[in-house]
Amino acid sequence: MIRYAAERDATPEDLAIFLVGTVFAVLFHQRGDIVLHASAVAVGGRAVLFCGRSGAGKSTLAAALVEQGYPLLSDDQCAIVLDSASQPMLRPDGRQLKLWAPSIAALALDGRRQAAVPINPNKYYVDPAQRREDALPIGAIYHLSESDSAAATEVKIPNLADRTALLVANAYRPVLMQRMGRRPSYLQASAAIAGQIGVFQFVRPKQFSVMPMILGALADHWRDIGLVA
């Protein structure tokens, strides 16, 4: 149970976005989870995560994959726990997608658009076509970056130290990690995760017109690493 005291002028919408954002992140940190600023879909019975800076296209890419038949697991915030066998598991949160209006239009999702996100009036909640709510082992984590070319994608494999650094750098609300004294545990857990699963840099053009090519490149990579047949 979460107990809170709201300011007098706080709306239910304001409270909801704060509770499922910062407050949940604090709870995950208290529980010892690794929390990444990422979105995730289910691929072949495993979780595939997309992380990156704000505006990198994490939610848009996840939404496009959901339309291709890959259920949504989480959006914006991904809580990772190491199970009893030290296997990284993703705990889905069942939340809606949050997409900017141009992404909704480009992906033809107007029919599932819901209310505007309070702090971003041009961003909206979107009901995913399908979702999964069971914990899944993590199959791959991609860090998104933008290509200089309009027609090129590339999957890079960083070394172990750089993979670990990428995970730490993509912590959700990094200031919480610092203030709660969790950086050492983040480094340790991130090194364990990076040593077990694929952590990749996915470089692609950030253009709606080439989304089919981007999705095809991901599908090819999933076959290469054995996530799908």
Side-chain angles (χ1 to χ4, degrees), residues 57 82 84 103 120 153 185:
L82 300 179
S84 58
S103 296
N120 292 300
T153 62
S185 61

Side-chain angles (χ1 to χ4, degrees), residues 4-209:
Y4 61 89
E7 296 287 346
R8 289 186 177 183
D9 59 348
T11 67
E13 292 77 17
D14 292 334
L15 292 173
I17 197 166
F18 180 69
L19 288 171
V20 301
T22 301
V23 173
F24 269 35
V26 170
L27 294 176
F28 289 140
H29 280 301
Q30 288 178 338
R31 198 163 60 179
D33 293 354
I34 298 300
V35 194
L36 295 184
H37 188 198
S39 297
V41 297
V43 178
R46 292 182 175 269
V48 172
L49 282 64
F50 301 98
C51 59
R53 61 172 177 79
S54 294
K58 301 179 291 295
S59 297
T60 298
L61 183 53
L65 287 165
V66 170
E67 293 302 297
Q68 294 292 310
Y70 301 99
L72 180 71
L73 295 171
S74 298
D75 183 46
D76 194 47
Q77 185 183 104
C78 288
I80 302 171
V81 61
L82 300 179
D83 67 9
S84 58
S86 295
Q87 181 179 37
M89 303 286 294
L90 176 71
R91 290 174 170 161
D93 56 22
R95 70 182 67 196
Q96 295 170 306
L97 289 156
K98 295 195 294 290
L99 298 173
W100 295 103
S103 296
I104 294 172
L107 298 174
L109 296 176
D110 295 271
R112 290 202 292 277
R113 188 176 73 177
Q114 305 298 314
V117 177
I119 59 174
N120 292 300
N122 200 36
K123 181 178 272 192
Y124 298 86
Y125 293 108
V126 175
D127 281 329
Q130 52 190 318
R131 57 163 61 94
R132 286 187 64 165
E133 298 183 356
D134 51 321
L136 292 178
I138 297 176
I141 299 175
Y142 295 88
H143 181 269
L144 302 180
S145 58
E146 191 170 351
S147 171
D148 294 331
S149 169
T153 62
E154 183 181 5
V155 178
K156 299 179 180 180
I157 307 175
N159 60 40
L160 178 58
D162 288 342
R163 295 198 301 272
T164 301
L166 274 177
L167 295 180
V168 175
N170 283 280
Y172 186 85
R173 301 284 196 269
V175 67
L176 292 177
M177 174 185 68
Q178 296 283 4
R179 291 184 178 180
M180 297 178 72
R182 295 211 60 219
R183 185 172 177 82
S185 61
Y186 251 71
L187 282 169
Q188 182 178 5
S190 294
I193 293 169
Q196 293 186 55
I197 62 174
V199 179
F200 309 98
Q201 290 178 299
F202 185 43
V203 185
R204 87 286 184 230
K206 194 181 173 185
Q207 299 174 12
F208 294 120
S209 61

